[in-house]
């Protein structure tokens, strides 16, 4: 009798354990599904934070009807990345943008960044950008016949790694070319038009003209832009690693 009781108790305990594990697994799966749902909902909300107002689109409707044009919002990095209260799940916090891939997510050949009221280009590896503030010049003038635009159209990027690294360092202070001083970082100013030759090794080489048309209450900027030319994909002749030889 005692053996039967012990066997019954063992089977009961085993069944309870199986049901308990099953219930626990189901509950965990439900939580994972909830996380996925919340992430999808968060992504939708983040796109609303990044969205441009209809009034901005209407104001520049004529320009935006042209090919290779667009309008975006850049969020200040210091406000939305790493801020416990306002942090976005989006990598880069909405402070970056790739004009080629049309994404704010950092890490996909980003061309521009907004941080500390500065616009920057060139963020990883051998990537770099030649930025120039043209002042209060119209987008049309900058796109068609500005001397700085012609200079960037004629610019030939270096291909050897030491030359590229040297240029990256120069751009912090200023790179003189065809009578203009290009930099990797410049102050962000409303009602100013900028030129950018963004070069991402093995990804893209693009000439963009853009204008900062408005600043919002959170410090974010509205940019209207046009891609002037897409050049052949840039390559780099890498310096051999001689360590250990």
């Amino acid at each position: 009798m005692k053996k039967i009781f012990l066997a019954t108790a063992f089977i009961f305990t085993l069944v309870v354990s199986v049901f308990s594990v099953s219930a626990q697994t189901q509950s965990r799966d439900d939580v994972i599904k909830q996380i996925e749902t919340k992430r999808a909902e968060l992504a939708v909300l983040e796109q609303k934070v990044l969205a441009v107002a209809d009034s901005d689109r209407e104001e520049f409707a004529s320009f935006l009807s042209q090919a290779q044009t667009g309008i975006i919002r850049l969020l200040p990095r210091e406000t939305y990345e790493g801020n416990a209260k306002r942090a976005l799940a989006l990598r880069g916090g909405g402070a970056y943008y790739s004009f080629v891939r049309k994404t704010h997510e950092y890490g996909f050949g980003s061309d521009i960044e907004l941080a500390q009221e500065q616009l920057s280009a060139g963020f990883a590896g051998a990537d770099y950008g030649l930025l120039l503030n043209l002042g209060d010049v119209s987008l049309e003038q900058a796109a068609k016949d500005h001397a700085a635009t012609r200079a960037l159209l004629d610019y030939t990027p270096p291909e050897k790694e030491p030359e590229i690294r040297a240029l990256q360092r120069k751009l912090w202070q200023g790179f003189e070319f065809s009578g203009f001083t290009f930099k990797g970082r410049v102050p962000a100013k409303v009602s100013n038009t900028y030129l950018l030759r963004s070069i991402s090794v093995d990804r893209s080489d693009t000439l963009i003209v853009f204008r900062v048309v408005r600043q919002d209450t959170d410090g974010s900027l509205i940019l209207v832009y046009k891609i002037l030319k897409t050049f052949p994909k840039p390559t780099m002749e890498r310096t051999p690693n001689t360590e250990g030889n």
Side-chain angles (χ1 to χ4, degrees), residues 105-144:
E105 187 170 7
Y106 177 76
F108 295 89
S110 302
D111 299 303
I112 194 78
E113 176 207 40
L114 172 63
Q116 302 294 336
E117 299 184 348
Q118 299 277 321
L119 293 166
S120 303
F123 315 106
D127 295 356
Y128 62 96
L130 283 68
L131 263 169
L132 180 65
N133 184 352
L134 298 176
D136 191 5
V137 173
S138 70
L139 282 166
E140 289 76 9
Q141 180 183 349
K144 290 181 180 179

Side-chain angles (χ1 to χ4, degrees), residues 134 141-144 146-154 195 207 228:
L134 298 176
Q141 180 183 349
K144 290 181 180 179
H146 200 285
T149 304
R150 294 195 297 272
L152 286 182
L153 285 168
D154 294 337
L195 283 171
L207 177 58
L228 300 181

Side-chain angles (χ1 to χ4, degrees), residues 62-83:
S62 178
F63 179 82
L64 294 172
S65 66
Q66 301 176 33
Q68 299 281 43
T69 60
I71 182 169
I72 62 167
R73 180 191 299 274
L74 283 180
L75 303 180
R77 183 179 175 185
E78 65 275 11
T79 302
Y80 288 95
E81 186 183 54
N83 184 320

Side-chain angles (χ1 to χ4, degrees), residues 23 33 43 51 64 72 90 98 110 120 126 148 157 163 178 180 183 213:
K33 288 178 181 179
L64 294 172
I72 62 167
L90 179 70
S98 168
S110 302
S120 303
E163 296 174 354
S178 293
F180 298 96
K183 294 186 175 183
V213 298

Side-chain angles (χ1 to χ4, degrees), residues 3-245:
K3 291 182 179 179
I4 294 174
F5 174 79
L6 291 173
T8 303
F10 173 76
I11 293 172
F12 176 78
T13 302
L14 182 63
V15 170
V16 169
S17 298
V18 169
F19 275 106
S20 177
V21 170
S22 177
Q24 189 177 39
T25 302
Q26 181 65 40
S27 176
R28 186 170 178 273
D29 289 342
D30 287 343
V31 171
I32 291 173
K33 288 178 181 179
Q34 288 176 21
I35 291 173
E36 292 173 348
T37 300
K38 294 298 182 183
R39 281 179 177 165
E41 292 173 355
L42 179 60
V44 172
L45 291 174
E46 288 185 340
Q47 288 306 310
K48 291 182 179 180
V49 172
L50 289 166
V52 175
D54 290 340
S55 57
D56 290 320
R57 293 187 180 279
E58 291 169 2
E59 182 178 353
F60 298 98
S62 178
F63 179 82
L64 294 172
S65 66
Q66 301 176 33
Q68 299 281 43
T69 60
I71 182 169
I72 62 167
R73 180 191 299 274
L74 283 180
L75 303 180
R77 183 179 175 185
E78 65 275 11
T79 302
Y80 288 95
E81 186 183 54
N83 184 320
K85 293 183 178 180
R86 290 190 171 189
L88 272 66
L90 179 70
R91 189 179 182 191
Y96 298 87
Y97 191 73
S98 168
F99 296 104
V100 177
R101 293 162 187 80
K102 305 294 187 293
T103 178
H104 282 84
E105 187 170 7
Y106 177 76
F108 295 89
S110 302
D111 299 303
I112 194 78
E113 176 207 40
L114 172 63
Q116 302 294 336
E117 299 184 348
Q118 299 277 321
L119 293 166
S120 303
F123 315 106
D127 295 356
Y128 62 96
L130 283 68
L131 263 169
L132 180 65
N133 184 352
L134 298 176
D136 191 5
V137 173
S138 70
L139 282 166
E140 289 76 9
Q141 180 183 349
K144 290 181 180 179
D145 58 4
H146 200 285
T149 304
R150 294 195 297 272
L152 286 182
L153 285 168
D154 294 337
Y155 175 73
T156 301
E159 295 183 356
K160 294 184 178 181
E161 185 174 3
E163 296 174 354
I164 293 174
R165 299 299 183 189
L167 178 57
Q168 286 179 316
R169 292 189 292 271
K170 277 185 179 179
L171 284 166
W172 283 103
Q173 298 298 324
F175 170 60
E176 302 292 332
F177 180 70
S178 293
F180 298 96
T181 303
F182 298 95
K183 294 186 175 183
R185 182 173 61 188
V186 295
K189 296 182 179 180
V190 177
S191 299
N192 278 210
T193 298
Y194 298 78
L195 283 171
L196 169 61
R197 178 83 180 261
S198 179
I199 298 168
S200 180
V201 173
D202 296 329
R203 280 196 180 118
S204 59
D205 180 358
T206 315
L207 177 58
I208 308 111
V209 60
F210 65 88
R211 185 172 176 84
V212 180
V213 298
R214 188 169 67 82
Q215 184 175 39
D216 227 328
T217 54
D218 63 347
S220 62
L221 298 179
I222 307 300
L223 276 59
V224 178
Y225 72 88
K226 182 172 187 176
I227 296 177
L228 300 181
K229 186 171 181 177
T230 300
F231 299 86
K233 183 172 66 174
T235 58
M236 181 174 71
E237 185 180 321
R238 289 172 169 80
T239 303
N241 187 348
T242 57
E243 291 183 8
N245 293 339

